[in-house]
Amino acid sequence: MYQQNTTTPKELFGVLAAGAVVLLVVHTLGRFVYTPLLPYLIDDGQLTAPEGAAIATWNYFGYLVGALLAIRWHRVSHIRVMLPAFLVLHVITTLVVTQTDNLTAISASRWLNGVANGVVFVQAPALILEWLVLRNRSSMSGLVYIGVGLGLLVSSGLVTGSADWLEGAARWWPVALTSIPLAIWGVFRLSRLELEDHQRGSDDGQAATTTPLIDRASIPLFLSYAGAGLGYILPMTFLPLLARLELEADHWLLDGVWLIVAVCTIPAAWLWNKLGTNMGDIPALKLNFLIQLAGVLAAVLLPGAIGLMLCAALIGSTFLGTVLLTQRIGRALHPHQGPRLSAAMVALYGFTQMVGPWLTKHWLDAGGTLASAFGIGVAALAFGLIFVFFVPRPEAWHARTVIFD
């Protein structure tokens, strides 16, 4: 059993930094870089807007498959093999899309890239959380998601910085070349984590207790997370494209809207980690949903620059908070489930994210506007917020089960 005093600040920083880097690689250079790239690829004539939405759906479907794989192979011994393997897959599939304009090839590559994203996004934070729990530092777990915020800034710079001298498939080259050294360093550092390959029942190392993953405590949490996934993914996929449709050709927000998202995301993990610690994870999650809801609603009710900026700022500053708070609440409700619980939640999140672009594609094909499609996100976040109020406090839930047992 590791104790808190055996871990130095330098070691903690190194582990969190490695986790942040691998999330930066797969989740921003893999997934979210597509958001600022999409308007350029459409302007280049490589894709149409419905084709772009379809490719996004394939990527998110891959993310769902990756999360399901992580449910099946969730032990430390599995993670030590799968983490490097799927980071390699990320690099290969990103290199593939630098070489082709074929829609089928792009869709297949983005699907496989999504699989890699799903596996790594589950396994890296879950591995680090288990390592932190052994050292009584679980409250620091949310800091690993800082990598996503920094990655959005990196992705924005890579896309806009190369926009004038690359075209079509070649626009993916900066992403591919940046991914390689970061993936190598991140996985090397995480492979050195000292963790035993066994199932623990609780933070004190007692034997695992077999209880259902899905019960009266976790069902409302899963439903709220589903609403969050569908609600945030529309602006995180289509906000720059919406800016291109609503603003004049030389407006600074055409590229600036994604930059706003990126800048607001950078402190978000630290902020919501702190709020959850100070006010409680469930009250913090309610506040988080309210702010997200206001952000997507702004894009619907205030077309133009003001609505776009509000949406970018409010979504950017909240979506990571939803992830880290929900994951932490889930683990508190089922402390023995560990990585398996994380994988199940990411799988559900991935499914609802896949649904978002799919619904948008059909909405656009039916003659709807992209701005009105954001109304789907508003409804989804309202749905999610309602179910947060039905999530029990973990300490109350455990006390109740003890009484009834």
Side-chain angles (χ1 to χ4, degrees):
M1 181 72 178
Y2 297 106
Q3 300 299 323
Q4 181 175 348
N5 58 14
T6 65
T7 305
T8 65
K10 180 180 179 181
E11 187 179 11
L12 282 170
F13 175 80
V15 172
L16 290 169
V21 164
V22 297
L23 294 190
L24 184 157
V25 170
V26 298
H27 209 59
T28 54
L29 300 185
R31 165 184 286 205
F32 284 131
V33 74
Y34 184 71
T35 304
L37 271 175
L38 183 57
Y40 289 106
L41 298 177
I42 291 173
D43 286 349
D44 293 342
Q46 187 189 46
L47 303 172
T48 65
E51 286 172 345
I55 289 171
T57 302
W58 279 110
N59 182 250
Y60 300 158
F61 176 53
Y63 182 74
L64 169 62
V65 172
L68 292 173
L69 290 175
I71 295 175
R72 173 60 182 84
W73 290 286
H74 61 276
R75 296 175 66 89
V76 172
S77 58
H78 301 150
I79 295 174
R80 293 195 190 281
V81 174
M82 294 176 70
L83 204 59
F86 281 94
L87 279 163
V88 169
L89 181 62
H90 159 83
V91 172
I92 292 173
T93 53
T94 307
L95 288 169
V96 167
V97 292
T98 68
Q99 301 299 307
T100 182
D101 293 323
N102 181 272
L103 185 62
T104 301
I106 295 171
S107 298
S109 295
R110 293 300 291 162
W111 177 75
L112 287 170
N113 190 272
V115 175
N117 182 12
V119 170
V120 176
F121 195 77
V122 170
Q123 291 189 342
L127 187 72
I128 291 170
L129 177 57
E130 296 304 303
W131 185 85
L132 289 170
V133 165
L134 286 173
R135 289 153 178 82
N136 300 315
R137 298 294 187 93
S138 59
S139 64
M140 300 180 70
S141 61
L143 299 180
V144 72
Y145 295 102
I146 289 175
V148 178
L150 292 172
L152 291 178
L153 192 61
V154 171
S155 70
S156 177
L158 290 175
V159 172
T160 59
S162 61
D164 294 335
W165 50 280
L166 294 176
E167 184 177 353
R171 294 188 185 276
W172 288 95
W173 271 114
V175 178
L177 296 177
T178 304
S179 294
I180 295 171
L182 293 177
I184 291 171
W185 179 81
V187 79
F188 172 75
R189 184 64 183 81
L190 291 181
S191 69
R192 297 165 58 195
L193 288 184
E194 298 179 17
L195 272 173
E196 296 179 15
D197 191 15
H198 65 88
Q199 300 296 319
R200 292 181 301 103
S202 63
D203 294 352
D204 61 5
Q206 298 299 313
T209 302
T210 302
T211 61
L213 185 65
I214 307 296
D215 59 18
R216 286 176 294 168
S218 61
I219 285 174
L221 186 65
F222 275 104
L223 290 173
S224 72
Y225 207 39
L230 179 54
Y232 99 101
I233 202 60
L234 293 174
M236 289 299 291
T237 303
F238 298 112
L239 197 58
L241 183 58
L242 182 62
R244 200 151 287 220
L245 295 173
E246 293 187 349
L247 303 174
E248 56 270 22
D250 59 347
H251 201 287
W252 70 273
L253 274 177
L254 295 183
D255 290 320
V257 70
W258 191 246
L259 183 61
I260 293 172
V261 173
V263 169
C264 291
T265 302
I266 291 172
W270 175 87
L271 173 65
W272 290 103
N273 194 71
K274 190 76 171 177
L275 286 173
T277 301
N278 289 344
M279 65 187 292
D281 286 340
I282 292 178
L285 186 60
K286 293 174 183 176
L287 176 62
N288 180 280
F289 265 93
L290 283 170
I291 296 173
Q292 278 193 87
L293 182 58
V296 183
L297 197 59
V300 176
L301 299 181
L302 300 171
I306 298 298
L308 290 167
M309 286 191 291
L310 282 172
C311 184
L314 296 181
I315 293 297
S317 61
T318 52
F319 79 91
L320 286 179
T322 316
V323 174
L324 72 90
L325 291 170
T326 305
Q327 292 280 353
R328 207 154 63 190
I329 294 166
R331 195 187 187 286
L333 289 169
H334 293 295
H336 56 284
Q337 295 285 2
R340 184 167 171 261
L341 174 68
S342 176
M345 298 187 78
V346 171
L348 177 63
Y349 206 51
F351 174 75
T352 56
Q353 290 173 70
M354 179 184 69
V355 170
W358 179 81
L359 289 174
T360 301
K361 178 184 183 299
H362 285 278
W363 183 258
L364 295 176
D365 287 341
T369 65
L370 188 57
S372 62
F374 275 45
I376 299 169
V378 173
L381 286 166
F383 173 90
L385 175 60
I386 290 170
F387 278 98
V388 177
F389 285 88
F390 293 93
V391 178
R393 288 182 297 108
E395 59 271 22
W397 174 252
H398 293 306
R400 178 181 177 182
T401 56
V402 168
I403 291 171
F404 279 95
D405 287 344

